């Protein structure tokens, strides 16, 4: 991730939010992004390694339960496909069977790409999330963070869990912060002062 972002910076691509870089990152890998028809109804994106193309359905927005989240979901989808490009492209060409573990790895790559831990821990809404006392306040701060990173609340919740910072009950919109979140916040706050 860092090497890819450094290469983009050298090309003059400068944006604060990683979601703004995901398209450039795919193009930098010498892949195309195409709108496609006839994709399976449940698919939001497809990595075609032989054609070196990421395909997104033309009716992407209509496939979503909440069409208003289309921009954030597109960022997540493209980052997931970038994960396949960076982690699995060679194996995808060589093997006819797609491995189930690849999807989880691409999801994790997308989370790390779009919401880097250091950046997350140094954002003001993260500090407010750590200070929030009630579940509605925590959930509101989680959504603010999601907006800042240009991802959905559910994606950010999964990211917090992946980093071991929180346990989330999405149906009840409960965020339980874990000790590691406060520990990292103290560490990064100290680093900012130094």
């Amino acid at each position: 991730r860092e090497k890819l972002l450094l290469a983009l910076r050298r090309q003059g691509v400068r944006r604060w939010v990683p979601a703004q870089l995901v398209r450039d990152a795919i193009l930098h890998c010498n892949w195309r992004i195409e709108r496609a028809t006839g994709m399976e109804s449940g698919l939001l994106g497809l990595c075609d390694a032989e054609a070196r193309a990421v395909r997104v359905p033309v009716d992407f927005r209509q496939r979503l339960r909440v069409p208003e989240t289309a921009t954030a979901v597109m960022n997540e989808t493209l980052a997931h496909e970038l994960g396949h490009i960076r982690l699995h492209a060679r194996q995808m060409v060589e093997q006819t069977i797609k491995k189930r573990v690849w999807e989880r790895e691409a999801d994790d790559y997308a989370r790390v790409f779009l919401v880097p831990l250091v950046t997350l821990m140094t954002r003001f809404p993260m500090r407010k999330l750590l200070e929030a006392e009630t579940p509605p306040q925590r959930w509101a701060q989680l959504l603010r963070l999601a907006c800042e990173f240009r991802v959905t609340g559910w994606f950010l919740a999964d990211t917090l869990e992946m980093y071991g910072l929180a346990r989330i009950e999405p149906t009840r919109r409960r965020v339980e912060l874990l000790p590691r979140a406060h520990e990292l916040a103290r560490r990064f706050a100290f680093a900012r002062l130094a």
Side-chain angles (χ1 to χ4, degrees):
R1 178 188 172 274
E2 292 306 317
K3 286 180 184 178
L4 178 59
L5 293 178
L6 182 61
L8 290 171
R9 281 188 211 109
R10 284 185 185 138
Q11 290 179 349
V13 178
R14 303 223 189 284
R15 295 185 180 99
W16 178 85
V17 179
Q20 296 171 305
L21 299 170
V22 70
R23 290 175 192 272
D24 293 319
I26 291 170
L27 298 175
H28 177 78
C29 294
N30 294 318
W31 284 57
R32 302 183 311 282
I33 301 170
E34 302 175 342
R35 294 289 187 162
T37 57
M39 288 179 65
E40 247 180 73
S41 64
L43 286 178
L44 294 177
L46 179 68
C47 186
D48 183 345
E50 287 185 23
R52 296 183 67 83
V54 171
R55 296 207 169 92
V56 178
V58 292
D59 61 344
F60 182 87
R61 187 179 180 87
Q62 290 78 24
R63 292 178 181 222
L64 303 177
R65 280 186 231 137
V66 184
E68 295 77 26
T69 63
T71 300
V73 175
M74 180 64 78
N75 293 335
E76 297 162 15
T77 300
L78 291 177
H80 174 94
E81 300 309 330
L82 178 61
H84 283 308
I85 292 168
R86 303 286 289 174
L87 302 172
H88 311 123
R90 190 171 296 132
Q91 297 98 318
M92 291 172 117
V93 171
E94 295 168 0
Q95 298 177 9
T96 57
I97 299 171
K98 193 173 184 181
K99 295 187 177 180
R100 206 175 284 178
V101 70
W102 291 355
E103 293 306 313
R104 179 67 184 162
E105 290 172 351
D107 284 342
D108 288 347
Y109 185 93
R111 288 184 187 98
V112 170
F113 185 89
L114 293 174
V115 187
L117 181 61
V118 173
T119 308
L120 171 68
M121 296 308 297
T122 57
R123 303 309 308 151
F124 183 71
M126 184 62 187
R127 191 170 74 205
K128 297 304 262 176
L129 173 61
L130 292 166
E131 295 169 356
E133 296 177 6
T134 66
Q137 289 172 339
R138 279 190 220 107
W139 190 257
Q141 290 306 322
L142 183 143
L143 294 178
R144 282 190 186 96
L145 263 172
C147 285
E148 194 161 313
F149 282 98
R150 300 182 186 185
V151 297
T152 62
W154 306 117
F155 184 89
L156 187 68
D158 288 343
T159 303
L160 292 174
E161 285 188 328
M162 181 192 78
Y163 285 139
L165 303 175
R167 268 193 223 96
I168 313 288
E169 275 187 62
T171 54
R172 296 178 62 200
R173 295 183 178 184
R174 291 184 58 94
V175 179
E176 177 193 346
L177 294 168
L178 300 175
R180 175 174 159 76
H182 295 285
E183 175 190 320
L184 285 176
R186 279 191 297 277
R187 189 181 317 159
F188 285 118
F190 179 74
R192 280 197 307 262
L193 297 174

